Amino acid sequence: MMIEKEIIIEKDIFATVTCPQQAGVFPAVLLIAGSGPIDRDGNGKKGKYPTNLYKELAAFFTELGFMTLRYDKHGTGKRQGDWRDAGLSDLLSDAKAAAAFLQGQPNVSKVIVCGHSEGTILATDLAATMAIDGCMLLSGGVDNLMEALIHQRKQAYRELLEMPGWKGWINRKLKVDEINEKKAEKLLEKMKASKRDTIRVQGIKQPAKWFREHADYQTRAALQRVTCPVFALHGNKDPLVDSTVLEELAGLVQGESEYHVVEDMEHGLREQAEPKSILKTKALMKTVLTRPLHKEGLQLMAGWLKRFLAED
């Protein structure tokens, strides 16, 4: 059993705190969401792609004996604004405010930051710049955003060029990889050249500040300043991350670290027996979201987190 309540941090950050039902002092886990217009529970607007990932993780961590906190980003959930106006600096400001809130609670003994996807970059920065007791990197880590996007585009190009039959032949003939890479580079240069929070490209509003600030952020340099224990978890069915970069982790952080790549786990930490494919991610999502969080992934997280319970 757990207690769940809504709070407001610094006037406009709507958040949910969960804690075990019994009274006491607990280590806390701060959940930091991935990119895009997803709220504190991990859901998009109007019920589109309701993952409930962070809500499920909060319940799982609380069952283990942790307090958790998850919060709405700009323009998501109950929070006002447009999520595309927020840059990396704004996201970091929110995350640091949430971490500081937990550190100021009399019933919190330790604070562990747990970032998912883009949230791994924020979690890394908090671990590098604040007195954080542990850092969890789920479906991300080591690479900065630009490096992750390059990996994703290369994965998409491979799948396009390897399509069977006439589709693959046309893609190779048209050199879709070269054409699309030039378009991506041109878009990034436009956003780097802009000084506005957002710009319109072919009528589509783009988060220019977010791209600029991420392009300047060096995740590996931040990791070199991290002294707390670090845990990283990827799935081998996740097309959005390069799991080989996790091999660098031990050589970057100052303290202890461990990483795991779980078989048949996708980006949202759920079970996926189907082949890995970035082009079929959305088509697979409806099916994948009906499945539970990956059992082995949960077991690995629990095993690492229980050390903080033992230390209390």
Side-chain angles (χ1 to χ4, degrees):
M1 297 294 290
M2 66 181 186
I3 298 171
E4 184 171 87
K5 64 178 180 179
E6 184 176 79
I7 62 168
I8 301 176
I9 302 168
E10 292 193 350
K11 297 183 180 179
D12 68 337
I13 304 176
F14 287 82
T16 299
V17 171
T18 65
C19 61
Q21 196 168 36
Q22 70 273 21
V25 177
F26 310 99
V29 177
L30 171 62
L31 288 159
I32 306 175
S35 61
I38 51 176
D39 63 19
R40 73 188 94 166
D41 292 336
N43 301 329
K45 290 185 177 180
K46 299 179 181 178
K48 191 174 183 180
Y49 302 122
T51 75
N52 280 315
L53 174 59
Y54 310 130
K55 185 174 183 177
E56 290 187 34
L57 285 176
F60 177 72
F61 294 153
T62 304
E63 287 174 4
L64 293 176
F66 290 83
M67 177 186 291
T68 74
L69 189 150
R70 61 191 194 271
Y71 59 92
D72 288 334
K73 300 186 298 179
H74 292 262
T76 73
K78 290 188 175 182
R79 197 158 176 199
Q80 298 297 310
D82 186 331
W83 64 274
R84 288 165 293 197
D85 293 335
L88 175 60
S89 57
D90 302 299
L91 299 175
L92 283 172
S93 178
D94 290 348
K96 289 178 179 181
F101 171 84
L102 285 174
Q103 289 175 332
Q105 300 308 300
N107 60 335
V108 171
S109 58
K110 295 180 177 67
V111 174
I112 300 100
V113 291
C114 177
H116 173 252
S117 194
E118 182 198 5
T120 61
I121 297 172
L122 279 66
T124 296
D125 190 86
L126 265 62
T129 59
M130 298 180 70
I132 297 299
D133 299 290
C135 178
M136 302 178 73
L137 309 175
L138 309 181
S139 301
V142 180
D143 272 347
N144 68 8
L145 184 77
M146 296 301 110
E147 291 162 335
L149 291 177
I150 289 171
H151 168 78
Q152 291 167 22
R153 293 199 300 270
K154 286 182 176 179
Q155 175 74 17
Y157 301 152
R158 280 194 296 270
E159 292 182 31
L160 286 168
L161 297 176
E162 292 171 1
M163 281 182 169
W166 63 272
K167 288 184 179 180
W169 181 85
I170 290 177
N171 289 336
R172 293 189 292 272
K173 191 73 174 176
L174 295 177
K175 297 182 178 180
V176 294
D177 52 339
E178 296 178 18
I179 291 171
N180 283 292
E181 189 60 21
K182 286 178 182 177
K183 288 180 180 178
E185 290 173 358
K186 188 176 180 180
L187 174 61
L188 179 58
E189 288 306 313
K190 281 186 178 181
M191 288 190 280
K192 282 184 176 180
S194 171
K195 294 183 179 180
R196 299 170 59 186
D197 291 349
T198 62
I199 60 172
R200 287 196 175 273
V201 179
Q202 295 181 342
I204 300 174
K205 191 175 182 180
Q206 298 285 357
K209 179 182 179 182
W210 183 78
F211 271 101
R212 284 196 308 271
E213 293 182 346
H214 266 298
D216 290 337
Y217 191 82
Q218 299 302 318
T219 312
R220 286 172 176 81
L223 282 168
Q224 291 175 345
R225 302 194 301 274
V226 173
T227 59
C228 67
V230 178
F231 171 91
L233 184 71
H234 282 192
N236 76 336
K237 294 298 178 67
D238 185 348
L240 304 184
V241 297
D242 178 4
S243 294
T244 64
V245 300
L246 296 183
E247 296 171 7
E248 302 175 40
L249 193 59
L252 291 170
V253 299
Q254 296 183 45
E256 60 185 273
S257 67
E258 65 179 77
Y259 73 88
H260 306 270
V261 181
V262 175
E263 187 173 352
D264 289 339
M265 188 173 79
E266 49 83 61
H267 192 70
L269 311 181
R270 297 185 188 277
E271 298 173 0
Q272 180 179 314
E274 296 87 349
K276 178 169 71 174
S277 171
I278 197 166
L279 298 181
K280 296 179 181 178
T281 297
K282 286 187 177 179
L284 283 168
M285 192 170 289
K286 287 184 180 180
T287 301
V288 169
L289 288 178
T290 65
R291 298 171 183 163
L293 296 181
H294 200 288
K295 185 177 180 180
E296 183 182 350
L298 293 176
Q299 289 173 341
L300 288 166
M301 285 187 273
W304 186 79
L305 279 168
K306 283 179 180 177
R307 61 184 295 164
F308 295 98
L309 294 172
E311 291 170 359
D312 272 4

